[in-house]
Amino acid sequence: MSIEVPAGILPGEHLHALRARLRGDLLLPGDDGWDDARRAWQLTVDQNPTAVAIPADVDDVAIVVTAARRFGLRVAPQSTGHAAGALRSLDDTILLRTSRLRDVDIDPAVGTARVGSGAVWGDVAAAAAMHDLAAVAGMAASVGVVGFVLGGGVGWLGRSHGRGIDSVLAVEAVDARGRVLRIDRQRNADLFEGLRAGIAPVIVTAVTLQLHPLAEIWAGGLMWPLDRAADVVHAWHAWIGAVPDTVTSLVRVLRFPPLPDLPEAMRGQQFVAVEAAVHADAEEVAALLAPLRALAPTVDSMRPMPPAELATVHGDPPQPSPAFGESVLLAELSEAAVAGFLDAALAPASGALLSVELRHLGGALTPDVPGDALAFAVGIVPVPEAAPEVAAAAKAFARALDPHAAPRAMKNFTERPGDPERIYGSDLARLRTIVAAWDPEQVIAAGHPVLD
Ligand SMILES: Cc1cc2nc3c(=O)[nH]c(=O)nc-3n(C[C@H](O)[C@H](O)[C@H](O)COP(=O)(O)OP(=O)(O)OC[C@H]3O[C@@H](n4cnc5c(N)ncnc54)[C@H](O)[C@@H]3O)c2cc1C
């Protein structure tokens, strides 16, 4: 590769020279398609990088990283931009969108998937389902595989199969010097350990995932009008104390806005809901759900489904959205924490939020996720002027749960730059050493960086 430029100088023609070297695209401000290329899934974030690279293959990734280093620029890898709010400034940065590296190859003989780093969970779930296999995926089909696993990754198979990162067998990547690497427990093992703890001082180009034999799972939701919230939340709390690890569930308060494109039964309505995924046969499911069904839900959508349909259960929007979320990892799901959740969920300020929820953790997530439950609040910001009210409501919800907080925060649910000590805990010093060794010039710009 020959893009010879004096270090630290960035005349526009060097970026044009870089563009000419790529099989994929490099967009600069003002180019046709610039706004689409820089747009994150999280629409409240306005990304203004120096350029956007959309590599067509691994060679392109290596060329971009090598050139950026020579130009004195950083490279921010991004798949969907769900976590765009966690990135620092994109000044002097090439945003590298992985959207074209989206191949998914299933090896049914060993039950694995090799997944390009631009793939989202919907891609993997659909391909795996063809072989009666399931991935430890996120709850939303639109979430990127790589960003999800780098944040641990907790979905509907969490309590039964662990975190998303626990299913990662190997990683292919380009490092900050443009070298193509294979990373697993044997090769570049320090990087593998770092990736498992949530850092990526490399550009991931593909991951190999262990899939799990699973053709069908019971899942869905039970819903009641909001005035049943106290009964339902307390009943759910008692219920999760008795269920096996084959049950992953959450309780939530939902307030749907009066939008015309919502189904009439939801439009402008408020509910308390329990959503669950259960590995069991119909008889066992009926026995397990009996205590909740005794509360006479007005909606009961629990049914057997292929795992690829799990992404419909939580009802996350399939398209880019402007949202503001706050989370608190709860050390222990005590009576006091549940009462705190109920008070916060029913507080008038929470009327500005679409959903507040408590996700039951534990099971196979223990001890890697150091808490019993995750409290999460999210509101849609329909117009920029609504942002202060939605943000204040989400923050008030999180403050109310703070007395019950674990010392750690969950990376995937920390939507803006957070305290690295809380995100990485006692791993932080070791992770800083790994980043300093692999990317001493900090060419790779990651969300929630460990170095300043
Ligand atoms: C609607 C919605 C639902 C969600 N549901 C869940 C859920 O059920 N469970 C859960 O655990 N989380 C969930 N999340 C959180 C989500 O997992 C994180 O936001 C995650 O970081 C998104 O990954 P991404 O690749 O889509 O995002 P991106 O913003 O594209 O990437 C996030 C970060 O990952 C790193 N990264 C991405 N690609 C690469 C790469 N190729 N090489 C190196 N680093 C890379 C970068 O640091 C990047 O800033 C949800 C988020 C949303 C918005």
Side-chain angles (χ1 to χ4, degrees):
M1 163 186 341
S2 63
I3 300 170
E4 297 302 334
V5 293
I9 297 179
L10 179 62
E13 65 256 33
H14 296 314
L15 287 170
H16 288 286
L18 171 59
R19 168 149 59 193
R21 298 277 332 247
L22 300 177
R23 285 190 54 236
D25 293 322
L26 186 89
L27 290 100
L28 300 172
D31 284 348
D32 282 351
W34 171 248
D35 284 335
D36 285 342
R38 71 187 181 92
R39 186 177 297 120
W41 195 95
Q42 171 53 271
L43 292 177
T44 56
V45 180
D46 185 20
Q47 305 196 105
N48 287 292
T50 304
V52 179
I54 310 177
D57 53 28
V58 176
D59 288 346
D60 272 0
V61 175
I63 290 169
V64 171
V65 174
T66 307
R69 195 158 151 260
R70 288 194 189 148
F71 295 167
L73 296 175
R74 297 179 308 154
V75 181
Q78 186 171 73
S79 166
T80 65
H82 273 92
L87 280 170
R88 291 190 187 151
S89 160
L90 292 178
D91 290 352
D92 299 325
T93 303
I94 299 177
L95 183 65
L96 185 147
R97 307 297 302 255
T98 53
S99 45
R100 283 201 202 154
L101 309 177
R102 205 166 165 171
D103 291 349
V104 178
D105 297 309
I106 308 288
D107 184 341
V110 287
T112 59
R114 181 182 176 278
V115 177
S117 58
V120 298
W121 281 115
D123 301 331
V124 182
M130 313 279 281
H131 304 278
D132 288 346
L133 294 166
V136 180
M139 289 189 184
S142 66
V143 168
V145 172
V146 172
F148 175 87
V149 298
L150 286 174
V154 171
W156 284 122
L157 304 189
R159 283 173 41 81
S160 55
H161 291 76
R163 303 172 304 161
I165 190 70
D166 299 324
S167 291
V168 174
L169 301 173
V171 174
E172 293 157 54
V174 172
D175 76 0
R177 291 187 209 159
R179 295 176 302 191
V180 176
L181 304 176
R182 173 106 181 159
I183 304 164
D184 56 28
R185 285 188 194 281
Q186 282 76 41
R187 287 164 287 188
N188 303 305
D190 61 332
L191 265 181
F192 192 67
E193 199 190 329
L195 289 156
R196 285 182 52 80
I199 57 155
V202 292
I203 313 279
V204 175
T205 52
V207 291
T208 301
L209 303 173
Q210 182 66 60
L211 303 173
H212 303 277
L214 187 66
E216 195 173 86
I217 183 165
W218 275 79
L222 309 177
M223 293 172 86
W224 297 260
L226 185 59
D227 60 10
R228 303 288 311 281
D231 291 347
V232 171
V233 171
H234 287 301
W236 174 79
H237 184 219
W239 182 69
I240 58 165
V243 296
D245 295 352
T246 48
V247 180
T248 297
S249 73
L250 59 88
V251 69
R252 72 195 300 200
V253 165
L254 278 161
R255 294 179 173 90
F256 292 105
L259 293 177
D261 43 354
L262 285 174
E264 198 182 330
M266 304 289 169
R267 200 180 307 146
Q269 302 297 312
Q270 305 188 354
F271 299 95
V272 58
V274 172
E275 294 166 2
V278 185
H279 302 261
D281 61 29
E283 208 177 315
E284 286 171 280
V285 171
L288 275 167
L289 292 178
L292 296 174
R293 285 181 167 150
L295 298 178
T298 48
V299 175
D300 183 342
S301 64
M302 289 294 298
R303 63 181 172 90
M305 58 176 72
E309 284 179 31
L310 283 171
T312 61
V313 171
H314 199 241
D316 288 314
Q319 73 287 348
S321 304
F324 189 98
E326 284 282 345
S327 71
V328 181
L329 180 62
L330 303 180
E332 194 192 338
L333 201 46
S334 59
E335 289 291 347
V338 170
F341 169 78
L342 253 177
D343 284 349
L346 300 179
S350 290
L353 300 172
L354 172 67
S355 169
V356 296
E357 67 188 43
L358 274 182
R359 289 190 186 196
H360 184 206
L361 303 172
L365 298 167
T366 311
D368 299 305
V369 181
D372 266 4
L374 178 80
F376 182 63
V378 66
I380 298 296
V381 182
V383 287
E385 299 73 50
E389 187 194 1
V390 175
K395 286 179 179 171
F397 170 85
R399 260 197 317 278
L401 273 301
D402 221 33
H404 312 285
R408 296 281 296 277
M410 286 180 80
K411 184 182 173 202
N412 268 357
F413 294 90
T414 305
E415 296 192 354
R416 286 162 298 285
D419 173 5
E421 301 267 358
R422 292 202 72 194
I423 294 172
Y424 301 103
S426 58
D427 291 332
L428 185 58
R430 187 171 48 93
L431 298 179
R432 284 181 167 149
T433 310
I434 296 171
V435 173
W438 282 93
D439 185 16
E441 295 159 272
Q442 294 191 59
V443 174
I444 316 272
H448 297 303
V450 294
L451 292 175
D452 292 333

